[in-house]
Amino acid sequence: VEAGDTGEVLRLVEPLHAADIADFLEQIDAAERQAFLAIYAGEIDGDLLSEIDETIREEVIESLPAEVVADAVRDLDTDDVVDILEDLEAPAQGRILDALDDADRVAVEQAMAYPEGSAGRLMQREVVVAPEHWTVGEAIDFLRGAEVLPDQFYHVILVDPRMRPLAYVTLGRILSARREASLRDLAEESFRTVEATEKESEVAYIFNQYHLISCPVVDAAGRLVGVITIDDAMNVLDEEHEADMLLLAGVSEEASVLDGPFATMRQRLPWLVVNLLTASISAVVISRFEDTIAAIVALAALMPIVASTGGVAGTQSLAVAVRALAARDLTSSNARRVVLRELAVGAMNGLALAAIIGLAAWGLFGDPWIGAVLAAAMVVNQIVAALGGVLVPLTMDKLGLDPALASGTFVTTLTDVMGFLAFLGFATLVLI
Amino acid sequence: VEAGDTGEVLRLVEPLHAADIADFLEQIDAAERQAFLAIYAGEIDGDLLSEIDETIREEVIESLPAEVVADAVRDLDTDDVVDILEDLEAPAQGRILDALDDADRVAVEQAMAYPEGSAGRLMQREVVVAPEHWTVGEAIDFLRGAEVLPDQFYHVILVDPRMRPLAYVTLGRILSARREASLRDLAEESFRTVEATEKESEVAYIFNQYHLISCPVVDAAGRLVGVITIDDAMNVLDEEHEADMLLLAGVSEEASVLDGPFATMRQRLPWLVVNLLTASISAVVISRFEDTIAAIVALAALMPIVASTGGVAGTQSLAVAVRALAARDLTSSNARRVVLRELAVGAMNGLALAAIIGLAAWGLFGDPWIGAVLAAAMVVNQIVAALGGVLVPLTMDKLGLDPALASGTFVTTLTDVMGFLAFLGFATLVLI
């Protein structure tokens, strides 16, 4: 298709949603992308630019004529413009800002003044407000007369004369009420605002916890400065989950399957080097028992079993704890109970695994003591794994760090070292 | 607080949102919960029941008087009733169904007839529809006259005389248009419906991809049967993420930090036993090289380094691939490119790690050959890890299985076995 027929390309792409065109652009390679954009540039709109993944957005924007980009961003709500600007270098940012109308540019610049990852960056400036003494009829007449309304709005926010939000009314209630009804009487029972400096993860939590659709954003003085809608919150939630999963696996949180090999290497090598160092601790522990291994070489073959099963148990306990911390199901009020539960689970799983591996080793080597050493080491390491899996992220959280960050490396180092130490230690005591 | 003062308890809880009361109930222990419910039973409403985590919902419902539960569920939209029913045993389900009005009971029973995890279970039956030839004024008069409207609705769905949805209009557009305007002219440009039998993961994907707020659900004949709202889709997305993360770690996907120790053991022990078996493969591999280890015992201490660093690299590659498959960023059209990228990254990281560990071992043992063996094994295992991390989930996906399921165990078994095999194999060739 890329090879020439312009009309055909446009015909095929025309019915697609911007999100699908963006996916298509992400999945073809860079040369195909340039060829496609050369044909398609005239049709590009703001929605497409905001759908494209940040890994290739800069490349796409740079290959487009400046007027095309300018036209495209002019249609967007401010939150989408901010989202695009955040990931661009300064010169490209400048070009886009210059393309905006004065009012929009000021709004975008104000939003960019809030710290990255804050509610201020997430919000759109376009809000629909009404004085609280208005009736439904006045609100409808105002909306009918309004020149521009936001693409998305789900509530009319009631404000006092100093623009401080007091309550909001869903559009559904306004539509179903009589014209004479007072907006105040139709307001939702529960009403929350967030401060513009609030962290976006906190915003996503509030949306998820209280099933919000939109949430007014206020400045330090309590005045309305914007509104965050649920699609933005859903996006943050999605990114947070992704970051947790990647951080747990020891990958930098911006990692994407669309990154090139060098970017990928930079994201992964640091944790591999850290692991090289922590794995050396295991090597040192084992080297202390060289006499034991020299006496019974079979121990070298058996020792990874205890360490590896401990690693899996630690990872299990860790994944549950990190999720629970993120969802705020694990808090200081039930931490003690959860740790005790892990202790019990570690002991029970340890005993079950010890029975299996102990009997198998006894049968295989004809020596009950080898089985006993394996079994005892297994119980110890399962308990260490289960406790480590919950205590490491709890400690990270207490220290104000992301519990997913590097927890995996800590926990598997712990289970490796304890696995080798317990197994070789018991073996030295019992078998030598 | 639990210890007695009823008035005080009610006063403290009164200003809280149902979601917060539910969190509180989840975090206290079972005895405290019973004491609290005995005091609070009279105040319990449907929102609270639907907020409570399913792990304790059954316990809570059973400890409440039947009339309280009946009153509580009667206020809920059908999707929330279905959500509560799904996790209950048959007798408790029956009691709740009996409490509903006839119309609601039929609606809930119809929803329950759809398979678990389908759009039909997720949707609410309460919909707001209008014939497509209506004007804004007719729609507003209809809404003002309606006796009951859903708690949440964001669109008026336009239907043909056979109740097939044709388009929808946002409430914002209805409010801002003149009364004479035709609904048809205000309809959203893009309009999607889902079939009631569609999987909920597909529904969540559609909401996320196309930034939907609500989506009509149709039966096989294309007739409107309900509507799914974004909060339900957000919930599904949240659960899917959680399931991916837990499955990757080898924990059953319903695992919660609120489960008791026996439930937790049942969720984790199966994968630990599987790991015991796969770890035995490593043990068998190592035992083939007992003569080599007996000759140079230091090898026993060094061999876990290669295996463990491979495990980390495999987990990194795997986490990125599983996320990309879930987000549909990794598809058949770019799979080849992503696999080649992993190959390149594995080789580059392998060379970098090989240089570090090779030089360190040479310096430490004064023998360049030990360094060379470690370095060569490291390169091989990093490549295996990077490829395994993407090929295992891709294969699972091709086979129609969840790519997160057990991928972690496969990949670390692969990197363990290859790590030991490459290291001890090279050592036997070079050092003996």
Side-chain angles (χ1 to χ4, degrees):
Chain A
V1 182
E2 281 355 76
D5 189 342
T6 307
E8 178 70 6
V9 170
L10 293 179
R11 200 183 59 74
L12 281 174
V13 172
E14 209 266 312
L16 294 180
H17 188 281
D20 292 324
I21 303 176
D23 282 351
F24 166 70
L25 278 174
E26 287 159 18
Q27 293 192 358
I28 58 183
D29 68 29
E32 293 167 334
R33 201 145 53 217
Q34 292 305 325
F36 176 81
L37 289 174
I39 298 174
Y40 190 66
E43 310 281 322
I44 279 181
D45 62 8
D47 286 337
L48 179 56
L49 289 185
S50 52
E51 292 287 354
I52 294 175
D53 193 272
E54 51 257 45
T55 42
I56 61 161
R57 197 189 278 145
E58 183 137 22
E59 177 205 314
V60 169
I61 288 182
E62 278 181 2
S63 72
L64 291 175
E67 328 78 79
V68 171
V69 177
D71 278 347
V73 291
R74 231 170 275 145
D75 299 334
L76 291 173
D77 280 342
T78 52
D79 57 334
D80 295 321
V81 179
V82 169
D83 186 45
I84 292 180
L85 281 184
E86 280 183 334
D87 303 306
L88 295 180
E89 306 289 332
Q93 285 192 351
R95 260 187 289 138
I96 290 190
L97 282 173
D98 289 342
L100 296 173
D101 305 330
D102 284 347
D104 281 350
R105 186 170 61 246
V106 170
V108 168
E109 281 171 345
Q110 280 173 354
M112 292 290 285
Y114 290 108
E116 214 179 317
S118 69
R121 290 278 184 107
L122 216 55
M123 70 188 184
Q124 56 186 47
R125 309 282 297 201
E126 295 85 356
V127 291
V128 178
V129 298
E132 60 161 339
H133 55 77
W134 273 14
T135 63
V136 166
E138 285 172 299
I140 292 181
D141 294 340
F142 165 74
L143 289 170
R144 287 192 182 143
E147 247 174 65
V148 264
L149 285 171
D151 285 349
Q152 307 175 37
F153 73 106
Y154 310 107
H155 291 102
V156 171
I157 302 169
L158 305 185
V159 291
D160 71 10
R162 305 177 61 184
M163 272 299 271
R164 284 182 303 216
L166 302 168
Y168 57 26
V169 189
T170 66
L171 302 188
R173 289 229 185 167
I174 294 181
L175 272 172
S176 54
R178 288 165 307 106
R179 279 185 69 91
E180 311 80 60
S182 142
L183 291 180
R184 183 75 247 190
D185 296 338
L186 299 174
E188 292 293 285
E189 220 176 277
S190 81
F191 173 67
R192 272 156 220 281
T193 60
V194 293
E195 271 209 40
T197 50
E198 189 67 86
K199 278 193 293 186
E200 60 179 21
S201 59
E202 183 66 28
V203 174
Y205 171 76
I206 293 174
F207 269 82
N208 205 10
Q209 173 82 347
Y210 303 115
H211 311 291
L212 304 183
I213 293 297
S214 75
C215 184
V217 181
V218 295
D219 63 14
R223 279 186 305 259
L224 185 69
V225 289
V227 65
I228 295 176
T229 48
I230 189 171
D231 55 324
D232 300 311
M234 196 165 168
N235 221 350
V236 172
L237 198 73
D238 206 33
E239 283 170 11
E240 298 253 306
H241 272 297
E242 181 160 341
D244 270 356
M245 191 158 148
L246 294 175
L247 283 177
L248 253 189
V251 190
S252 93
E253 52 188 307
E254 310 95 56
S256 155
V257 84
L258 310 170
D259 293 325
F262 290 101
T264 305
M265 183 184 173
R266 271 196 305 277
Q267 290 154 4
R268 298 189 194 173
L269 192 54
W271 280 117
L272 289 169
V273 172
V274 169
N275 188 258
L276 206 56
L277 297 177
T278 58
S280 307
I281 305 175
S282 297
V284 170
V285 169
I286 297 170
S287 69
R288 298 270 142 196
F289 294 96
E290 282 189 0
D291 295 343
T292 307
I293 296 173
I296 311 173
V297 180
L299 297 180
L302 296 176
M303 65 185 191
I305 296 181
V306 177
S308 140
T309 317
V312 172
T315 307
Q316 290 178 330
S317 163
L318 180 61
V320 174
V322 166
R323 270 302 298 146
L325 280 167
R328 309 197 191 180
D329 286 338
L330 176 55
T331 62
S332 52
S333 64
N334 66 347
R336 200 168 144 270
R337 193 144 21 92
V338 172
V339 170
L340 288 176
R341 183 198 72 169
E342 288 297 335
L343 182 68
V345 171
M348 292 191 300
N349 281 340
L351 288 171
L353 295 169
I356 300 172
I357 194 74
L359 290 174
W362 181 7
L364 226 58
F365 292 89
D367 180 352
W369 289 107
I370 288 195
V373 165
L374 265 174
M378 188 66 88
V379 173
V380 169
N381 207 27
Q382 285 291 315
I383 293 176
V384 168
L387 286 181
V390 64
L391 289 176
V392 169
L394 271 176
T395 309
M396 304 282 284
D397 193 51
K398 269 260 160 67
L399 297 176
L401 300 168
D402 188 328
L405 179 69
S407 289
T409 308
F410 281 139
V411 171
T412 50
T413 301
L414 185 71
T415 53
D416 274 356
V417 169
M418 271 311 296
F420 294 126
L421 187 64
F423 176 66
L424 294 173
F426 289 142
T428 307
L429 288 177
V430 173
L431 300 175
I432 303 296
Chain B
V1 183
E2 283 351 77
D5 189 342
T6 307
E8 178 69 7
V9 170
L10 293 179
R11 199 182 59 75
L12 281 173
V13 173
E14 207 267 314
L16 294 179
H17 188 280
D20 293 323
I21 303 176
D23 283 350
F24 166 69
L25 277 174
E26 286 159 18
Q27 292 190 359
I28 58 182
D29 70 27
E32 292 167 335
R33 203 146 50 219
Q34 292 305 325
F36 177 80
L37 289 173
I39 297 174
Y40 191 66
E43 310 282 320
I44 280 182
D45 63 6
D47 287 335
L48 179 56
L49 288 185
S50 53
E51 294 287 352
I52 294 176
D53 194 271
E54 51 258 42
T55 42
I56 61 161
R57 197 187 279 144
E58 183 137 22
E59 176 205 316
V60 169
I61 288 181
E62 280 183 359
S63 72
L64 292 173
E67 327 78 80
V68 171
V69 176
D71 278 345
V73 292
R74 231 170 275 146
D75 299 333
L76 291 173
D77 280 343
T78 52
D79 56 336
D80 295 321
V81 179
V82 169
D83 186 45
I84 291 178
L85 281 183
E86 279 182 337
D87 303 306
L88 295 180
E89 306 289 333
Q93 285 191 351
R95 259 186 290 138
I96 289 189
L97 282 173
D98 289 343
L100 296 172
D101 304 332
D102 285 347
D104 281 348
R105 186 171 60 246
V106 171
V108 168
E109 280 171 346
Q110 280 172 354
M112 293 290 285
Y114 291 107
E116 213 179 318
S118 69
R121 290 278 185 108
L122 217 53
M123 70 190 183
Q124 58 187 46
R125 309 283 298 202
E126 295 85 354
V127 292
V128 178
V129 298
E132 58 161 340
H133 55 77
W134 273 14
T135 61
V136 167
E138 285 172 301
I140 293 181
D141 295 340
F142 165 73
L143 288 172
R144 287 192 182 142
E147 244 173 68
V148 263
L149 286 170
D151 284 347
Q152 307 175 38
F153 71 107
Y154 311 106
H155 292 102
V156 171
I157 302 169
L158 305 185
V159 292
D160 72 7
R162 304 178 60 185
M163 273 298 272
R164 283 181 304 215
L166 303 168
Y168 57 26
V169 189
T170 66
L171 301 188
R173 289 226 184 170
I174 295 180
L175 272 172
S176 54
R178 288 166 305 107
R179 279 187 68 90
E180 312 79 62
S182 140
L183 289 180
R184 182 77 244 190
D185 296 336
L186 299 174
E188 292 293 284
E189 224 175 272
S190 81
F191 174 68
R192 273 155 221 282
T193 59
V194 294
E195 271 209 39
T197 51
E198 190 68 83
K199 277 193 293 186
E200 59 177 22
S201 59
E202 184 66 28
V203 173
Y205 172 76
I206 292 173
F207 269 82
N208 205 11
Q209 172 84 349
Y210 303 115
H211 311 292
L212 304 183
I213 293 295
S214 75
C215 185
V217 181
V218 297
D219 65 13
R223 279 185 305 260
L224 185 69
V225 288
V227 65
I228 295 176
T229 48
I230 188 172
D231 56 322
D232 299 313
M234 196 164 167
N235 219 350
V236 172
L237 199 74
D238 206 34
E239 282 169 10
E240 298 252 308
H241 272 296
E242 181 161 340
D244 271 357
M245 190 159 149
L246 294 176
L247 283 177
L248 255 189
V251 190
S252 93
E253 52 188 306
E254 309 96 54
S256 153
V257 84
L258 310 171
D259 292 326
F262 288 101
T264 305
M265 183 182 173
R266 271 196 304 277
Q267 289 154 5
R268 298 189 193 171
L269 193 54
W271 282 116
L272 289 168
V273 172
V274 169
N275 187 259
L276 206 56
L277 297 176
T278 60
S280 308
I281 306 176
S282 297
V284 171
V285 169
I286 297 169
S287 69
R288 299 268 144 199
F289 294 96
E290 282 190 358
D291 296 341
T292 307
I293 295 172
I296 312 174
V297 181
L299 297 179
L302 296 175
M303 65 185 192
I305 296 180
V306 177
S308 140
T309 317
V312 172
T315 306
Q316 290 178 331
S317 165
L318 180 62
V320 174
V322 166
R323 270 302 298 147
L325 281 167
R328 308 200 193 178
D329 287 338
L330 176 56
T331 62
S332 52
S333 63
N334 67 348
R336 201 170 142 270
R337 194 143 22 92
V338 172
V339 171
L340 288 176
R341 183 197 73 168
E342 288 296 336
L343 183 67
V345 170
M348 292 192 300
N349 281 339
L351 288 171
L353 295 169
I356 301 172
I357 193 75
L359 291 174
W362 183 6
L364 225 58
F365 292 88
D367 180 350
W369 290 107
I370 286 195
V373 164
L374 263 175
M378 187 65 89
V379 173
V380 169
N381 207 27
Q382 284 291 313
I383 293 176
V384 167
L387 286 180
V390 63
L391 290 175
V392 168
L394 271 175
T395 309
M396 301 283 283
D397 193 50
K398 269 259 159 69
L399 297 176
L401 300 169
D402 187 328
L405 181 67
S407 289
T409 307
F410 281 140
V411 171
T412 49
T413 302
L414 186 69
T415 53
D416 273 356
V417 169
M418 271 310 297
F420 294 126
L421 187 63
F423 176 67
L424 294 172
F426 288 142
T428 307
L429 289 176
V430 173
L431 300 175
I432 301 296

